[in-house]
Amino acid sequence: MSASSFDVAIVGGAAIGSAVAYFLKSAEGFAGSVAMIERDASFATAATTLSAASIRQQFSTPENIRLSRFGLDFLRGMPARFGPDADPALREGGYLILAPPDGRAILEENHRVQKAEGAPIALLEPEALAARFPWLSTEGVAAGSLGLSGEGWFDAHTLLRAVRAAARAAGARLVNGEVVAIETEGHRVTALQFADGSRIACGALVNAAGPSAGKVAALAGRPLPVEPRKRSVFVLDAPDAPGDMPLLADPSGFWVRPEGAGFIAGYSPPESEDTPADPDDFSADHALFEEILWPALAHRVPVFERLKVTGAWAGHYDYNALDQNAVIGPDPELSNFFYANGFSGHGLQHAPGVGRALAELIACGRYRSLDLSVFGYDRIKAKRPLFEKNVI
Ligand SMILES: Cc1cc2nc3c(=O)[nH]c(=O)nc-3n(C[C@H](O)[C@H](O)[C@H](O)COP(=O)(O)OP(=O)(O)OC[C@H]3O[C@@H](n4cnc5c(N)ncnc54)[C@H](O)[C@@H]3O)c2cc1C
């Protein structure tokens, strides 16, 4: 195809879009032309670069655990795959997820799923938690679930840079511009129009637009319940807090983890108070820190009484309002329109696995390594949720 025509066009060139392009052109050896279309090459407001860049195996959906395990292997193997500059500084500090009395049954249920998947997770009673983590208050805690290995955090920028560069080196083309219209004919997408008036034809289209995925689907006349939800992240200097703590997720909705010599922390509101974000609002919510996050944090880990906020940012979750789970695969009405969306705060760790799976689907017409058909669009149409119960 010519430069104004691509066999596969990918809208969104951050973690997910780059991974799809990389696996298509490398692992699948796809001979056709591939475009990674991106409206902002600085990625200043992409979820990928504003994320907390953490990886866990503690999910309730088996396929999410499998995606994380592939993500983990991918991160561990990046220097070997891409060279020594592509070390994502993976620190396997673990996740500790606490449950209150009325959340214990779900924690146990999730634990059974995780054990069945072979994930090295320990379920700890409050006494064991207090003995292992003397800095933790176990007040109101019925149990905790601790990742013993294969969970932690890494550098999102290195992942993005390395995968994007490798996709380019393998032959994917970068196209700068904002897609503002999608043309269809019958049951197929045929072309894209850009804000500057230009147009490219495409043989297949991948929606990798992150929090804007619902908007991009709407351009093709397709409903997709993926919307931006604002999440603030605070950078903390807390000299008394333990630098070797795991990522701690509290029933009150906050999480905190070590970052460099300090910590980062965030908060997810209850569903009833969580509304779609203004797509242009990236201001950190400092009142939320003062009024909700800090008191909850100091209650759970009293040494956080003494801290200094040294920075903050806000990003948008790519939130699937139906069930907080991914939507992956072809659209039932537009057979060459593929989704890779709705990760609801865990899409970075899943980017390698999703990229590989979608590349297989596009190149071979079926999943070969990981069957992700549970994430298919059919459930959206049928309003049949596949709830991910472990959303942090
Ligand atoms: C605060 C925060 C913390 C998070 N923590 C974690 C975590 O710890 N672990 C984890 O795994 N995940 C985490 N996530 C979620 C994760 O960041 C996302 O799920 C993941 O990055 C999604 O990648 P993406 O490439 O689909 O989306 P994005 O990174 O948002 O990229 C989408 C790209 O599409 C482009 N685009 C959109 N519309 C158009 C258009 N019309 N035309 C052209 N380009 C377009 C955008 O400019 C953008 O660059 C977090 C997210 C946030 C906000």
Side-chain angles (χ1 to χ4, degrees), residues 277-319:
D278 169 347
D280 298 320
D281 177 11
F282 288 91
S283 57
D285 186 348
H286 287 276
L288 179 147
F289 183 82
E290 288 293 322
E291 289 159 22
I292 300 177
L293 205 164
W294 192 8
L297 182 58
H299 172 255
R300 184 61 64 213
V301 186
V303 286
F304 276 113
E305 273 302 350
R306 200 159 80 88
L307 62 73
K308 203 160 58 185
V309 178
T310 57
W313 74 84
H316 293 163
Y317 267 18
D318 40 357
Y319 195 85

Side-chain angles (χ1 to χ4, degrees), residues 11-18 37-40 43 45-55 95 154 177-180 194 208-213 216 219 229 231-233 247 255 257 313-318 340-351:
V11 183
I16 296 286
S18 300
I37 300 166
E38 177 51 55
R39 65 183 173 193
D40 175 15
F43 297 103
T45 59
T48 294
T49 52
L50 297 172
S51 89
S54 306
I55 179 163
Y95 270 62
F154 57 95
E178 179 171 14
V179 173
V180 292
F194 291 83
S212 303
V216 168
L219 296 177
R229 297 270 176 109
R231 294 291 184 268
S232 300
V233 180
L247 186 152
W255 58 265
R257 71 158 173 84
W313 74 84
H316 293 163
Y317 267 18
D318 40 357
N341 307 117
F343 300 99
S344 308
H346 52 260
L348 187 64
Q349 64 200 282
H350 288 171

